[in-house]
Amino acid sequence: MIYQALEAIVKTIDADSAAIMVPDETERVLFCYDSFNMPAEWVAIKNSFDEEVPGGTVEVYKTGEPAISNHLQKTLKSYYVESVMIVPIRRDEKTIATLELIHVKDNKAFNEDDRRQAEEFVKQISFKKGSSNVTH
């Protein structure tokens, strides 16, 4: 079900792909729980808790603050990225995962309306760690 929920938010805000990143406390990483339209290279990424990338997935997970990086115009892990938005998924005042949304189109940027829609979306999404029981 999460695949359909990710597809819905991608279409709603006109993004190109999305992923839910969850923690593995044992390995001290965030990994891809599920995704929509993400290339295999990105699905395989594990972000170390020691990572220090401003506005990156780990920072959003640790701070609980969303981040938008527009007009990056970079190829990351063989995937061209124009803009990225990362929104924390919080339950009971604790960040439990992050939602990543990506634009690959030239000059496509996320805005504050997109962020608000993504934040509303993550309030409605639910999942159990270690399973694909996700609803929206």
Side-chain angles (χ1 to χ4, degrees):
M1 286 187 163
I2 190 150
Y3 181 87
Q4 292 88 357
L6 290 172
E7 181 180 20
I9 189 63
V10 163
K11 289 180 177 179
T12 299
I13 65 170
D14 191 30
D16 294 296
S17 53
I20 300 287
M21 303 295 287
V22 296
D24 179 329
E25 301 292 341
T26 305
E27 288 189 40
R28 297 190 33 78
V29 297
L30 290 172
F31 69 95
C32 184
Y33 178 82
D34 206 348
S35 66
F36 171 76
N37 205 30
M38 283 282 192
E41 296 88 358
W42 274 53
V43 171
I45 291 174
K46 291 185 178 182
N47 297 303
S48 169
F49 284 169
D50 297 327
E51 178 182 296
E52 293 185 21
V53 177
T57 302
V58 172
E59 181 179 274
V60 170
Y61 179 78
K62 288 179 179 178
T63 67
E65 296 296 322
I68 296 175
S69 299
N70 285 321
H71 308 297
L72 294 170
Q73 300 176 337
K74 292 183 178 182
T75 300
L76 304 168
K77 298 281 186 184
S78 72
Y79 188 49
Y80 178 80
V81 176
E82 177 68 25
S83 299
V84 176
M85 178 170 49
I86 305 167
V87 176
I89 300 172
R90 300 177 60 82
R91 298 294 180 266
D92 300 321
E93 304 301 317
K94 181 180 184 319
T95 301
I96 61 167
T98 62
L99 168 66
E100 292 182 5
L101 294 148
I102 296 176
H103 281 304
V104 297
K105 299 171 188 151
D106 290 337
N107 298 314
K108 190 75 173 165
F110 291 107
N111 59 43
E112 290 303 306
D113 286 338
D114 297 330
R115 181 191 52 78
R116 282 189 288 278
Q117 285 183 306
E119 288 176 332
E120 285 304 312
F121 170 82
V122 298
K123 288 178 186 175
Q124 298 172 29
I125 198 165
S126 64
F127 60 96
K128 295 178 184 174
K129 279 188 181 176
S131 81
S132 58
N133 180 15
V134 181
T135 59
H136 172 57

